[in-house]
Structure formats: structure tokens, C-alpha cells
Amino acid sequence: DDRALAPLVHLEGLQGTAPDALRRLAILGGRGLRAGLRLSRKDAERLAAIRTAAEMPAAEAGYRMGSRTAEDGLLVAAAATGTDVDPAAVYAARHGAAQTFPVTAADLMPDFEGEALGRCLRALERRWIDSGFTLTRSALLENAGKEG
């Protein structure tokens, strides 16, 4: 909906964020693509990431996509709903972007391999994210057998 574009421009000003064409295209729902606009693969991926980040919790978006994309998602979500950007959400996005998952596949082998290894890693990562990135490597590995 192009009615969200003006609020986005306003929020960009309030946040001191430079205008960004892909962020603005994201608020339009990518309609330019249907009108014949061609994007590079990199830009198309970033556009999709901004739209995905707008629908995720800020901390997880920051962790998975980086601070810039998460903050773009926060701006898009706020403009779409007619609200202000929550400073706590910006902090959460930046905090998430600074995190590194403390468990690796090597930590789980040889007890897990193949698909079971992937499932266990995803489950442990989900628990870690849901904990606000507070669970330690040892706490996660202690329950790894229950995740597989």
C-alpha cells in the first residue's frame, strides 16, 4: 500500500536513517517488480530479507540478517502499522546482530550425524534464541540428547 510510503519517509527522518530505495520498495510490497523493474540478485535477496525481517522478532532478525536489515525491517513494519519504531526493538536488533551461536556441528558429533545433526543444531539454536541468547554452550550441550 503506497499510503505507508509517507510514514516510512517520516520515520527515516526521525531515526536519522538515510533514504534507501530497497527499503522503500519493501513498503510498497515489491510492486515495482511486477511493473518491470529488474533487480540484481543481491538487491532481490536484500529486498526479500527486509520484508522477512519486518515480520520477525527484532533480536532474531538482527541475529539472522544483521543489524542493518533488521532495522530496515523495523522501519517497514512501523510504517505499515502507523506506529513509531520502538527503541527497545532497535537495541534488540543490534544485540542480536552481535551474537554468535556457541554450538557447532563438531560439538555434537559423533552422537549425531546427517539429518539428526541438522535437527539437533536447529533445535538448540531455537532454544538459544528464545532464551535471549543467554544459554551457554555447556547448558545447550547438556540437553543436546533430548533435542535429537
Side-chain angles (χ1 to χ4, degrees):
D1 186 351
D2 61 358
R3 291 177 287 180
L5 184 58
L8 176 62
V9 171
H10 176 73
L11 289 171
E12 288 172 340
L14 288 177
Q15 294 295 116
T17 302
D20 181 270
L22 291 175
R23 184 185 318 117
R24 291 180 178 189
L25 186 57
I27 197 70
L28 297 173
R31 281 196 322 224
L33 300 176
R34 290 188 292 275
L37 177 65
R38 294 179 191 246
L39 296 176
S40 68
R41 181 181 315 226
K42 181 179 175 182
D43 285 346
E45 289 171 356
R46 184 163 169 260
L47 175 62
I50 291 169
R51 294 176 74 188
T52 299
E55 299 175 5
M56 295 177 85
E60 183 173 358
Y63 166 68
R64 295 198 184 281
M65 299 173 200
S67 180
R68 177 182 178 199
T69 300
E71 290 181 51
D72 285 344
L74 289 171
L75 283 164
V76 167
T81 58
T83 59
D84 289 331
V85 176
D86 180 3
V90 173
Y91 173 81
R94 291 176 182 170
H95 177 71
Q99 303 307 307
T100 302
F101 185 49
V103 177
T104 66
D107 294 327
L108 301 173
M109 294 192 291
D111 295 334
F112 295 94
E113 58 184 44
E115 289 181 30
L117 175 62
R119 276 193 309 275
C120 186
L121 275 172
R122 285 188 299 276
L124 291 174
E125 183 183 47
R126 171 57 41 211
R127 285 187 57 231
W128 177 69
I129 292 168
D130 290 346
S131 78
F133 311 106
T134 60
L135 289 175
T136 64
R137 178 180 175 275
S138 60
L140 290 164
L141 292 175
E142 187 175 300
N143 294 315
K146 299 172 188 171
E147 303 296 340

